[in-house]
Amino acid sequence: MYPPNPPKAPSTIRPRSSLSAAKKPSNALLTLAGFCVFLFVLCAFLLGALVYVGRTIAENATTMQSLPQGSGIFIEPINQTQHVVLSTKPILQFRPLDPISTIAPESTKRNTSYQLSEEIMSTSKILKEITYRLPREIKPQRYNLRLYPNLPNKTFNGSVTITLEVLKPISFIPIHAKLINVTTESVLRLNKAGAEISAVEPSMTFAHPQYEYWITEFAKPLESGNYSILLNFNGSLTDKIVGFYQSSYFDKNRNEKRWIATSKFEPTYARQAFPCFDEPSMKAQFTIRIVRPTDGGYHALSNMEVENEEVKSDGLTEVTFAESVPMSTYLACFIVSDFDYQEKLVKGTLENAPDFNMRVYSTPAQKDKLEYALKIGSAITEYYIEYFNVPYPLNKLDMVAIPDFVSGAMENWGLVTFRETALLYDPTISSSANQQRVATVIAHELAHMWFGNLVTMKWWNDLWLNEGFASYIEYKGVHKVEPTWSMLDQFLIADFHSVMKLDATTASHPIVQTVESPSQITELFDSITYSKGASIIRMLEDLVGEEKFQKGTTNYLNNNIYGNAVTEDYINEIEALGFEFDVKLLLETWTDQMGFPVVSVVRSGNTFTLTQKRFFSNPEDYNTVQDPSTFNYHWSIPITYVTDGESEKQSTIFNYNDNQLTLTISSVSEWIKFNKNQMGYYLVNYDENMWQALITLLLTERGKLSISDRANLVFDVFTLADASQLDYNIAFQLSTYLQKERDYVPWQVGASRLNAIKSLLYYTEFYRDFTVYVRKIVTEVYETLTWEEDTDHLLNMLRVTILNTACRFGHKVALQEAATRFNAWLINPDVRPTPNLRSIVYYYGMQAVGTEEIWDQVLALFVAESDAQEKIKLMEALAAIKEPWILQRYINLAWDESIVRSQDYFSCLQYISRNPVGQSLVWDHVRENWQRLVDRFGINERTLGRLIPAITSQFSTQTKLEEMEAFFAKYPEAGAGTAARREALATVRYNIKWLEHNIAKVGNWLQENNQQIE
C-alpha cells in the first residue's frame, strides 16, 4: 500500500506590526508580493524534492547496503546455495528488522501498519499489480519441502523448492508467507524435463504484509516456461493455534509435560508454516521431509506414507514421505509426536480397488479410547467408497486427536486431525451425545476425502459446496453404521432449524458470495455455508431422487478428479440426468439470494391456494431496504404434502415467477400437512382452521405423522408466532401435545423453543407463569423416563432433554435429585454420575448447593482432569455458581492457559454468560479487555468474532443495544467478526421487538390456561 501524502505545512504570514508604518503599501501590492514569495518558496521546495528523489534512486541503483539501522528495513545479500551458480551481484532483499512481530494480520488499506517502506516503494516496479489474489500467470507443479520443528526451542525452520510454470511473462513471483522469515535463495530456469537451463537473478525481494506475500521481483519479466524457486524460512511454534504450532499434554507416567508439533491450515494458514501458493486452485504435488527427534518415542506423520527414515548424527532423524497426489495447500499436514495408535485394514470394496490401512492416534494414555473411532471410521470409509463409487485414492488414512485444536476437526488428506472431544470415546465417561458427536464429525471429515479433497472448489466463493455436501452426507454415513439413531430425523435439530434463525434476519448472506481477503474467507465458515448448504443439498436430493442424486455426484467426482470445480459444475452433472424442470435455475433461487420463504396456505373445500414471501423473524425488517436480488426474494419451491386420505407424498414446484400456486386434491380430507418431513427449506403457515385440524391430530393420533413432520410443526408454529405472523394462542395450544410425545427429535425442538421464550421472559412479570406452564407439560414424561439410564441411544438422548428441561424450569423434584447426586459425588469423586446424567448433575447440583468451598473442589477436579469430554462437563458446571464474585474469579482464571486451554477459552466465557448472574460480567469483561483479546487471538480469528453474538444473544433492552453499538463504534475493526457483529445486533433488535409484540399475548394466554392444563 502506498502511504498517505504528508500534510502540507501551513504558510507563514508576517504580522502587520512588522511592516513599515511610514508608508503602508496597498492591499493589492501586499497580495502580489506575498504571492510571489509563496511561488518562490514552492519552487525551491519542489526543486529540493526532485534532487532528493533523484539522489535516492541513484544510490539505490548502485547499492542498498548503506541504509541506516533505524530505518526499519534490513537489506542483505542472499547467500548462494551449493551447486548453484549465480551472479555475484547481491539481490536486494527487504525484510522488516523484526518480521514476526511486524507482519500483521490482513486488514483494510486504512491500517497504517501495512505501509511499505519508502525504499521498497521507490524501488519496486510491480506494487500496483499486487492484489489478494495470486496472478494467473503462475501455476505451481511440485513442492519439495523440508521442515524441522525444534521442540525444545519452540521454533521451526525449513526450505522449500517450488517447481512452477510461468504461463505468461511476469516480472515477479508472489508467494504467500505470514509470520515467518523468508529468504529467496535461488531462481532457476528449467527445461521441460526439469533440468536446469540457467539461473535467474532477482532484482529485489521483500515481504508485503497487507497481502501476506513474500515477493521475488525481477528486472525483466520471466519468459513463459518452467522454473524453480528455492526459499529458506523459519518461524515460531508458540502463541498460536493455526499454521504450524506446538501442543502439549501431561504424561502421568513420566510425570512431565510432553510437547508435539502439529498443523492446521484451512483456510489461509499454510502460509504461516511455509511459503506457498496458498489458494485452493493452486494444486500441486508435495514431497515432504520432516526432521524429528530420534529418541523419546517421537515419530512423524504427513499426508502420505513414510518412504524413508534416515538417522542423523545429531540426535535427529529425517523422515521422507512419498510424493502426494495433486492437492491444495490447505490440505497439507505434518505432525511430530509420541502418540500411540490402533489400526485396521479398510477394504477397497470396489473391483481392483486396493485395501489400505487406517490408523487412529492419541496420547499414549488414551489409546484405549480409539476403538470406537477406528470401528466406525473404517465402516464409514467403506460405505463412502461404495456410495461415491470412486476408490479412496491414497495408500493410508490416519486420524489424530490433538490436545490443542481450534476447530472440531480438519480434513487433511490422509491425515485427518481432530479435537480430542471429537475423536475419543470412553463408554465410562462419554455420554450418548458425546458418542454421536464423535461419529458425525468423523463422518463429515471422511466425506471430504472425496468431496473437497479429490475435487476441490476453485475459489472460496464455492466453499458451501464442499462443506454443505459433507454436512449432509455425514448423516448418511452415521445412519449406515448406527441405523437406530434416527440420524436423518436429527438433521432438523442439528442443522436445519438452527441456521434458519440466522437466515431469517437482515444479517444473513447468500450461500454463494464473492470474497477476496483472508478475513472475508474466514467469515465464510459459518452456519449459512455449512447448515444452509446442507439443507439445500438435502432438498435437492429429495427433489431429484436418491438414485439420480448419487449418480450425479459420482459423475461430478469422476469428471473433475484431482481438479477444481465451481457450483455450476456440480449442478450440470445433476441436470444432465434429465428432468422436466430447470435444476440450475431452481437452485440459483436458493444459492444466490439470502433468506427463505414462508408459504401461506388458505383452504377452500378441496382447493388450497399457496402464496409466498420472504420470512423475517423481526417484523420491523419488512420496512428495511433489502439487498438487490435477481429473483426479488421469491423462490422456486419444491412443494410436498400428505393428507389423511393420501399418505404417499405428493409433489409439485411453486415457481419463483408465479404469484400463487393452486392445488386441488381429489378426496375430502380433514387435514393436510405440507413440506413432508421438512425436506424443503421453508416455513408453512396454514389458515386457522387448518392449524386446528393439525393440533387435533397431534393430540389424538400423533403417530399418523412422522417424527420429522411432528418436529416440523412444532418449529414452524413457534417461529411464526415469534415473528407475529401467527397468533401465539395457536403455538401454545400445539405445544400441549408434548405432554404425550415420547420421541427425542420433536421434544428437542419443543424444549429449544420453550427455552428461548424463557430467556426473553426472564426479567418480566410473566416469567413465573411461563415456568409453571412448562413444568406442567414436562412432568408426565419426566416421571415416565426417571433418572435411570439404559442402552437405548435415542431414549438416553430424550432423557437428557427432559431432565435438563425439568431442572431448567425449576422442577423441584428434579432439582432435588440433581443436588443429591451432586453431593454424593463430592463425597466420593472417584464414583461419578453415569455418563448421560453427568452434565445435569454437575451443573444443576452446583447451581443448587454450590458454595466457594464446593466450587474450589470442582475447580481442582477440573484442572486435574485429563479427559477432554469430562473436562468440558466440569467447565460448564463451574459456570453454574450463583455468586457473581466467584464467576468474576472464574473469568479471570480463564486467561491462564494452564487452567483453560486456548481452544476452550471462548466456550468457557459462553458458559458463564449463559448464567444470568454472569451475563453482564462477561459482557463487561470482553469490552474492557477487547484489545487484549485481539492481541492474543488475532482480529481474523473467527472464534473471537463469534464470541460477540454468543454472549449478547439474550440481551433484550434498548440500553444493551446501545452499549453494543457504542462498543462497535469504539472498536470499528472487526476482521473476521464483521458478519457476527451484524448478527448480534439483529438478534438483540429481534429480542426487543419480540417483547413489544408478544409479551401481552403470552401473558394473557398463560394466565387464562395454566389452570386448565392437567
Side-chain angles (χ1 to χ4, degrees):
M1 162 176 102
Y2 285 94
N5 293 326
K8 294 181 179 179
S11 302
T12 302
I13 302 176
R14 297 176 64 191
R16 283 185 180 272
S17 59
S18 66
L19 298 176
S20 172
K23 185 179 181 180
K24 295 183 179 180
S26 67
N27 288 340
L29 289 174
L30 281 173
T31 301
L32 181 60
F35 186 66
C36 291
V37 170
F38 170 76
L39 286 176
F40 176 78
V41 173
L42 180 60
C43 290
F45 174 80
L46 291 174
L47 180 61
L50 287 170
V51 171
Y52 172 78
V53 171
R55 181 182 300 146
T56 301
I57 293 174
E59 289 175 353
N60 286 341
T62 56
T63 178
M64 296 297 288
Q65 302 297 320
S66 58
L67 282 175
Q69 186 173 1
S71 66
I73 295 293
F74 177 72
I75 304 171
E76 61 183 4
I78 300 297
N79 295 326
Q80 310 306 319
T81 57
Q82 294 180 351
H83 312 301
V84 178
V85 180
L86 290 177
S87 168
T88 57
K89 182 179 177 181
I91 302 169
L92 300 183
Q93 175 169 307
F94 294 81
R95 63 178 174 85
L97 286 173
D98 183 11
I100 291 180
S101 63
T102 58
I103 296 182
E106 175 276 328
S107 184
T108 64
K109 292 186 177 182
R110 297 191 306 270
N111 194 331
T112 56
S113 66
Y114 291 136
Q115 293 182 10
L116 296 173
S117 71
E118 293 181 4
E119 289 77 14
I120 293 175
M121 290 191 297
S122 64
T123 306
S124 176
K125 299 177 182 179
I126 51 85
L127 294 178
K128 290 185 178 181
E129 301 177 45
I130 300 173
T131 68
Y132 284 116
R133 297 297 305 274
L134 288 165
R136 300 299 99 179
E137 290 89 339
I138 299 175
K139 176 71 175 177
Q141 297 171 330
R142 281 179 169 78
Y143 290 82
N144 193 321
L145 173 64
R146 182 183 187 274
L147 196 63
Y148 169 38
N150 189 324
L151 295 177
N153 292 343
K154 301 182 180 181
T155 60
F156 66 91
N157 63 70
S159 64
V160 60
T161 299
I162 308 175
T163 304
L164 54 89
E165 181 181 4
V166 174
L167 303 174
K168 294 181 180 180
I170 186 171
S171 57
F172 68 104
I173 301 176
I175 299 178
H176 284 113
K178 181 179 180 181
L179 301 180
I180 54 176
N181 306 308
V182 184
T183 59
T184 301
E185 297 296 330
S186 68
V187 181
L188 302 178
R189 178 73 186 270
L190 309 176
N191 62 22
K192 291 184 178 180
E196 177 187 344
I197 297 176
S198 62
V200 183
E201 184 180 330
S203 59
M204 62 185 297
T205 61
F206 59 94
H208 199 304
Q210 179 186 359
Y211 295 112
E212 301 180 358
Y213 289 133
W214 175 258
I215 293 176
T216 303
E217 186 174 346
F218 306 91
K220 296 181 180 180
L222 299 175
E223 297 177 359
S224 299
N226 296 323
Y227 294 82
S228 71
I229 182 169
L230 171 61
L231 304 163
N232 285 342
F233 59 92
N234 62 73
S236 172
L237 293 168
T238 63
D239 300 325
K240 57 182 178 177
I241 200 170
V242 294
F244 195 32
Y245 66 97
Q246 68 175 7
S247 180
S248 67
Y249 71 95
F250 187 78
D251 189 329
K252 292 183 178 179
N253 292 330
R254 302 188 188 204
N255 195 32
E256 66 179 15
K257 180 180 282 190
R258 300 285 287 171
W259 294 95
I260 72 165
T262 186
S263 63
K264 198 277 184 181
F265 293 158
E266 191 180 26
T268 59
Y269 305 129
R271 64 193 68 175
Q272 296 187 26
F274 63 101
C276 56
F277 294 93
D278 202 10
E279 291 187 2
S281 65
M282 295 290 183
K283 286 192 171 184
Q285 293 177 271
F286 289 75
T287 297
I288 295 174
R289 292 173 292 153
I290 298 177
V291 179
R292 64 165 176 83
T294 300
D295 300 323
Y298 282 97
H299 56 252
L301 298 173
S302 189
N303 305 83
M304 306 301 289
E305 67 275 14
V306 173
E307 197 169 67
N308 181 59
E309 291 192 298
E310 181 181 354
V311 178
K312 303 291 187 179
S313 59
D314 51 1
L316 299 173
T317 297
E318 184 169 294
V319 183
T320 301
F321 296 89
E323 185 177 58
S324 76
V325 297
M327 66 181 188
S328 305
T329 50
Y330 79 87
L331 295 173
C333 184
F334 14 86
I335 300 172
V336 173
S337 77
D338 62 345
F339 289 176
D340 207 344
Y341 63 87
Q342 292 192 33
E343 64 182 331
K344 184 177 182 179
L345 194 67
V346 179
K347 296 178 181 178
T349 70
L350 301 179
E351 186 177 356
N352 298 323
D355 299 343
F356 56 94
N357 210 36
M358 172 179 281
R359 289 181 175 180
V360 189
Y361 290 80
S362 72
T363 57
Q366 301 190 96
K367 179 181 177 181
D368 291 342
K369 300 176 185 178
L370 299 173
E371 183 177 348
Y372 182 70
L374 183 64
K375 172 187 172 184
I376 65 158
S378 58
I380 290 173
T381 301
E382 290 170 354
Y383 167 69
Y384 284 158
I385 293 172
E386 294 179 350
Y387 181 86
F388 295 125
N389 198 27
V390 177
Y392 177 71
L394 306 185
N395 294 326
K396 61 96 174 176
L397 178 53
D398 299 331
M399 300 191 292
V400 187
I402 306 295
D404 298 280
F405 200 72
V406 69
S407 304
M410 176 60 211
E411 66 268 20
N412 315 299
W413 214 351
L415 182 56
V416 188
T417 45
F418 297 76
R419 275 198 188 196
E420 290 183 334
T421 54
L423 189 67
L424 307 182
Y425 172 73
D426 181 344
T428 68
I429 295 175
S430 306
S431 65
S432 296
N434 292 144
Q435 183 182 16
Q436 185 170 301
R437 173 165 170 76
V438 169
T440 54
V441 175
I442 289 174
H444 179 101
E445 303 307 325
L446 294 181
H448 277 310
M449 299 301 106
W450 289 265
F451 218 97
N453 297 7
L454 188 65
V455 181
T456 311
M457 70 266 159
K458 188 170 290 185
W459 179 242
W460 299 105
N461 296 357
D462 291 299
L463 175 66
W464 84 276
L465 196 57
N466 279 21
E467 296 299 349
F469 191 91
S471 295
Y472 174 54
I473 292 298
E474 70 185 56
Y475 290 87
K476 289 180 174 289
V478 178
H479 178 69
K480 178 67 177 180
V481 297
E482 300 286 4
T484 63
W485 287 7
S486 191
M487 289 303 300
L488 301 181
D489 291 317
Q490 288 198 54
F491 179 88
L492 294 179
I493 55 178
D495 282 278
F496 195 107
H497 293 165
S498 59
V499 72
M500 274 191 155
K501 181 179 179 181
L502 170 59
D503 209 19
T505 72
T506 55
S508 186
H509 63 80
I511 288 178
V512 176
Q513 58 177 341
T514 301
V515 294
E516 287 192 356
S517 70
S519 66
Q520 293 170 342
I521 294 167
T522 301
E523 280 193 296
L524 280 180
F525 288 78
D526 67 357
S527 59
I528 296 295
T529 295
Y530 282 74
S531 297
K532 184 177 181 179
S535 300
I536 301 308
I537 293 290
R538 174 175 174 263
M539 181 173 68
L540 174 66
E541 182 191 44
D542 187 63
L543 178 65
V544 304
E546 289 186 37
E547 183 178 345
K548 287 188 175 181
F549 175 81
Q550 185 174 352
K551 185 176 181 180
T553 300
T554 297
N555 292 344
Y556 167 80
L557 293 172
N558 283 323
N559 292 335
N560 296 279
I561 192 166
Y562 296 120
N564 296 87
V566 297
T567 298
E568 188 175 5
D569 295 322
Y570 182 70
I571 297 174
N572 287 342
E573 296 296 345
I574 299 292
E575 198 164 44
L577 299 176
F579 299 95
E580 296 180 354
F581 56 91
D582 189 328
V583 176
K584 179 181 177 182
L585 182 61
L586 183 146
L587 273 186
E588 284 177 348
T589 68
W590 298 95
T591 60
D592 292 1
Q593 57 184 352
M594 68 182 81
F596 59 89
V598 52
V599 174
S600 296
V601 184
V602 176
R603 179 172 185 171
S604 178
N606 287 351
T607 300
F608 300 85
T609 302
L610 282 63
T611 56
Q612 65 164 294
K613 68 175 181 179
R614 182 180 179 183
F615 176 78
F616 281 118
S617 55
N618 184 346
E620 301 295 323
D621 288 342
Y622 284 103
N623 301 323
T624 61
V625 178
Q626 301 182 38
D627 292 342
S629 166
T630 304
F631 304 100
N632 197 29
Y633 292 103
H634 281 70
W635 290 261
S636 290
I637 308 171
I639 298 293
T640 58
Y641 60 92
V642 292
T643 72
D644 57 336
E646 182 57 74
S647 59
E648 289 295 317
K649 180 182 73 174
Q650 307 298 307
S651 61
T652 187
I653 294 176
F654 186 173
N655 289 309
Y656 77 92
N657 52 359
D658 290 337
N659 292 325
Q660 66 181 37
L661 174 68
T662 301
L663 299 174
T664 301
I665 59 176
S666 56
S667 59
V668 177
S669 63
E670 293 184 7
W671 56 265
I672 185 170
K673 163 65 175 64
F674 282 94
N675 200 6
K676 173 64 178 170
N677 290 330
Q678 204 170 13
M679 300 300 291
Y681 189 71
Y682 57 93
L683 304 177
V684 180
N685 196 0
Y686 305 89
D687 64 34
E688 184 172 353
N689 290 334
M690 296 175 70
W691 273 117
Q692 292 298 339
L694 289 168
I695 291 171
T696 300
L697 177 66
L698 288 171
L699 290 171
T700 58
E701 298 179 286
R702 66 181 185 278
K704 288 189 174 181
L705 292 175
S706 68
I707 289 174
S708 288
D709 278 333
R710 302 200 302 271
N712 177 196
L713 289 173
V714 176
F715 178 80
D716 280 11
V717 77
F718 274 105
T719 303
L720 291 164
D722 287 340
S724 299
Q725 296 190 29
L726 182 66
D727 193 321
Y728 239 110
N729 290 348
I730 294 176
F732 279 128
Q733 286 178 41
L734 187 146
S735 70
T736 60
Y737 110 90
L738 290 171
Q739 296 177 93
K740 303 297 182 182
E741 181 62 77
R742 293 299 182 270
D743 279 302
Y744 166 61
V745 173
W747 241 115
Q748 180 59 32
V749 176
S752 175
R753 305 307 297 181
L754 295 171
N755 190 52
I757 297 172
K758 171 181 177 288
S759 298
L760 290 165
L761 293 177
Y762 189 78
Y763 294 104
T764 73
E765 61 183 301
F766 300 113
Y767 177 76
R768 177 188 172 277
D769 290 340
F770 185 67
T771 58
V772 169
Y773 163 66
V774 175
R775 287 199 297 270
K776 287 179 178 178
I777 65 171
V778 79
T779 293
E780 182 178 334
V781 64
Y782 168 80
E783 292 174 347
T784 300
L785 292 173
T786 75
W787 287 72
E788 299 305 316
E789 286 192 48
D790 51 43
T791 57
D792 188 304
H793 178 85
L794 283 176
L795 197 59
N796 284 332
M797 298 283 279
L798 174 63
R799 179 176 289 104
V800 169
T801 295
I802 296 302
L803 297 186
N804 259 316
T805 303
C807 290
R808 185 179 294 123
F809 283 86
H811 194 289
K812 290 183 179 180
V813 176
L815 287 172
Q816 189 174 33
E817 182 67 21
T820 298
R821 292 174 180 243
F822 181 72
N823 285 326
W825 169 64
L826 291 176
I827 294 171
N828 187 3
D830 290 335
V831 180
R832 300 172 180 176
T834 53
N836 282 299
L837 305 181
R838 198 167 295 172
S839 289
I840 302 169
V841 171
Y842 287 170
Y843 189 87
Y844 292 104
M846 177 67 77
Q847 185 183 86
V849 301
T851 63
E852 180 183 10
E853 181 181 0
I854 288 173
W855 194 89
D856 285 338
Q857 181 182 354
V858 176
L859 176 65
L861 292 168
F862 165 72
V863 172
E865 181 58 53
S866 59
D867 184 89
Q869 292 174 348
E870 181 72 5
K871 208 171 182 72
I872 292 295
K873 296 179 178 72
L874 294 170
M875 178 192 294
E876 184 180 16
L878 289 167
I881 194 79
K882 293 181 178 180
E883 280 70 18
W885 64 273
I886 297 180
L887 288 174
Q888 185 61 57
R889 179 183 162 205
Y890 191 18
I891 292 170
N892 296 336
L893 285 172
W895 282 101
D896 187 343
E897 290 194 50
S898 67
I899 296 175
V900 177
R901 289 182 182 266
S902 287
Q903 66 174 15
D904 298 322
Y905 177 78
F906 296 116
S907 296
C908 183
L909 290 189
Q910 289 173 41
Y911 287 144
I912 300 171
S913 72
R914 291 174 191 170
N915 182 339
V917 181
Q919 185 182 90
S920 292
L921 296 176
V922 173
W923 173 233
D924 290 346
H925 186 82
V926 168
R927 287 185 295 165
E928 292 167 2
N929 292 274
W930 183 251
Q931 190 55 53
R932 186 180 174 192
L933 288 167
V934 171
D935 292 342
R936 179 179 178 185
F937 296 100
I939 196 67
N940 287 332
E941 174 48 60
R942 64 178 177 269
T943 51
L944 173 61
R946 295 299 311 164
L947 176 67
I948 299 301
I951 66 175
T952 61
S953 63
Q954 296 182 39
F955 290 174
S956 58
T957 66
Q958 187 65 30
T959 299
K960 287 298 183 186
L961 180 62
E962 290 171 0
E963 286 180 4
M964 293 168 65
E965 291 170 338
F967 172 62
F968 298 157
K970 183 177 180 180
Y971 298 101
E973 183 58 48
T978 302
R981 289 186 177 189
R982 292 196 299 267
E983 178 186 344
L985 291 171
T987 298
V988 177
R989 291 188 183 111
Y990 159 78
N991 292 345
I992 293 170
K993 291 301 176 183
W994 188 95
L995 288 171
E996 289 181 9
H997 286 264
N998 296 312
I999 187 169
K1001 302 172 188 175
V1002 170
N1004 290 338
W1005 189 90
L1006 290 170
Q1007 291 176 345
E1008 293 173 4
N1009 292 274
N1010 257 352
Q1011 299 300 322
Q1012 301 175 18
I1013 301 174
E1014 295 297 330

